DNA sequence: GAGGTTAGTGTCAGTCGCTGCCAAATGACA
DNA sequence: TGTCATTTGGCAGCGACTGACACTAACCTC
């Protein structure tokens, strides 16, 4: 068994065997325990031993499910990202790229909540989101993940538009888009839940700035 | 003494005291030993003990100069980045932002070589550049550094243009620019030295794509 | 339903990154 | 030259992670 074998996705399709179900449960227990402990004690203040003990498995078993401590902390985040990527791939081919990305974000937000709650309570995910920004090591790992996501998105956009993978334009577009989304992510925490509709509108307005941001003269 | 006290810059101004000079020499020796060993054995295949031994200091002393193993591996990279940031700040205020960034890159390339060679031979820096892309942990740390650089650049651009720090446009511009520069960085390695002029032209052409990349229709 | 096969788990020992603590050495400066 | 502030080394210890091996439990025949 390798650490990255079991998908990060929620138990959408319940697996046949007892073995598989047991693994799913163990994995979810580890994620829940980890997020709970980290929310209470911080990332660096939480040891893998504690997480494993809270999920009632040995430390060695923890490392059979997650390659490292970062991975369990970012596992829900990872789920959100692949959720979004799937939404992008589902957009009709006639949509221009930026529109597809923008629509996919808003669409994926409609359904991601349920997928998260299937694994951990939402407050733990929100708390983790804050912790990631504040913990250098986690932030670094997260940025690497996002860079990989940018690569995937770039490829997908190039494919949709029938461009060569060498063409720089998809990459630039995705970089600008991701820059906006990272800023949006930063402002999350406080605003969401309280006023999700305002937040969605806010995001849309932000994305509308991508065009104007490249105009040569801003001082009007 | 704290780990981040001594600047990463080359010994441009030679310090007065013997103590300072000795610290500088120790630091440079650690960087050289580290890059040499990592080039030969890879990042994960090189232990801090080895680096310290090669520089003829104790492991404990290593950690007085660098907060962690990543920091010594990225120290030259960090020098290059602050070199570029300084070049941006030096651009005249009437230049439009994207022009300033673009000119600053090309200008900083003219002088960075000497600054690097003052610390390590160029081949070690090139080798390190490759290693960073290939080593997940290093890449993560590097991306976090670059994200901080993006923050600085965003602030500087907003300042130059007299915009509020809330305005999303500088951030988007910097994100697009950085996306291009990361792609350029990836293609470095092989092309440079062999044909630096072609490479510079290539980069300029890449940067010219930032405008067109946001046009709605690419399929012409 | 008893057999062997396969896969997941716990234990243990070990490496490596990194830190706190104290004592020894060394440049700075009167 | 003697004091003072810094820098250094050694040591002990923690936490993340890994390899090896033995044990147990699910699975798959016959």
């Amino acid at each position: 068994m390798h650490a990255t074998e079991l998908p990060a996705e929620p138990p959408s399709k319940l697996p046949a065997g007892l073995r598989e179900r047991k693994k799913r449960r163990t994995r979810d227990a580890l994620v829940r325990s980890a997020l709970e402990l980290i929310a209470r004690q911080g990332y660096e203040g939480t040891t893998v031993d504690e997480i494993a003990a809270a999920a009632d498995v040995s430390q060695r078993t923890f490392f059979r499910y997650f390659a490292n401590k970062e991975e369990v902390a970012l596992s829900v985040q990872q789920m959100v990202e692949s959720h979004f990527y799937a939404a992008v791939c589902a957009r009709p081919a006639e949509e221009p790229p930026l529109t597809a990305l923008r629509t996919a974000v808003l669409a994926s937000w409609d359904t991601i909540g349920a997928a998260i709650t299937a694994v951990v309570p939402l407050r733990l995910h929100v708390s983790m989101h804050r912790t990631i920004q504040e913990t250098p090591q986690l932030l670094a790992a997260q940025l690497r993940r996002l860079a990989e996501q940018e690569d995937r998105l770039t490829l997908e956009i190039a494919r949709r538009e029938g461009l060569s993978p060498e063409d720089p334009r998809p990459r630039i577009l995705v970089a600008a888009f991701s820059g906006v989304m990272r800023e949006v992510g930063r402002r999350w925490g406080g605003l969401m839940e309280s006023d999700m509709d305002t937040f969605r509108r806010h995001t849309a307005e932000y994305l509308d700035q991508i065009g104007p941001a490249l105009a040569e003269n801003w001082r009007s």
Side-chain angles (χ1 to χ4, degrees), chain A:
Chain A
M1 174 180 173
H2 296 77
T4 46
E5 186 190 310
L6 211 59
E9 269 137 86
S12 44
K13 49 176 78 175
L14 37 149
L18 168 63
R19 230 174 219 169
E20 291 299 313
R21 260 179 293 138
K22 219 169 179 177
K23 266 165 61 174
R24 172 101 270 153
R25 260 189 297 135
T26 306
R27 199 197 134 95
D28 289 354
L30 281 169
V31 173
R32 263 192 302 274
S33 304
L35 266 59
E36 190 77 61
L37 284 165
I38 291 172
R40 214 177 318 142
Q41 314 172 347
Y43 179 73
E44 280 146 354
T46 305
T47 69
V48 173
D49 282 298
E50 285 176 304
I51 298 172
D56 210 46
V57 296
S58 71
Q59 193 223 45
R60 195 67 186 82
T61 294
F62 173 93
F63 284 112
R64 288 197 178 98
Y65 281 88
F66 301 96
N68 44 51
K69 200 169 76 158
E70 290 153 18
E71 201 173 296
V72 68
L74 298 178
S75 61
V76 175
Q77 203 55 35
Q78 135 106 36
M79 205 181 73
V80 174
E81 285 155 29
S82 53
H83 196 84
F84 165 63
Y85 177 71
V88 172
C89 295
R91 299 309 307 170
E94 64 268 20
E95 264 182 354
L98 192 48
T99 310
L101 290 173
R102 169 216 192 89
T103 322
V105 184
L106 298 171
S108 71
W109 281 357
D110 289 333
T111 51
I112 191 62
I116 294 174
T117 321
V119 185
V120 292
L122 234 149
R123 56 164 252 277
L124 286 181
H125 175 236
V126 177
S127 162
M128 197 63 228
H129 197 271
R130 276 183 45 114
T131 307
I132 293 169
Q133 311 298 323
E134 293 163 358
T135 311
Q137 191 190 149
L138 274 185
L139 184 56
Q142 166 74 347
L143 289 172
R144 211 201 74 217
R145 299 195 47 71
L146 290 180
E148 284 166 13
Q149 173 89 320
E150 284 191 40
D151 291 344
R152 280 191 296 273
L153 290 173
T154 302
L155 277 179
E156 172 62 15
I157 297 286
R159 195 194 59 73
R160 284 168 57 100
E161 298 293 308
L163 299 176
S164 140
E166 302 299 314
D167 196 311
R169 292 174 298 174
R171 174 159 295 277
I172 295 168
L173 181 71
V174 169
F177 173 81
S178 302
V180 172
M181 290 316 294
R182 248 187 59 230
E183 185 63 25
V184 164
R186 268 183 227 166
R187 312 200 172 190
W188 197 49
L191 285 120
M192 84 132 226
E193 288 291 357
S194 66
D195 200 351
M196 195 56 187
D197 273 352
T198 309
F199 184 64
R200 293 173 78 99
R201 197 155 12 87
H202 207 66
T203 302
E205 283 165 17
Y206 243 69
L207 289 171
D208 287 336
Q209 294 289 326
I210 291 186
L214 278 304
E216 273 301 291
N217 190 8
W218 294 340
R219 318 182 196 185
S220 56

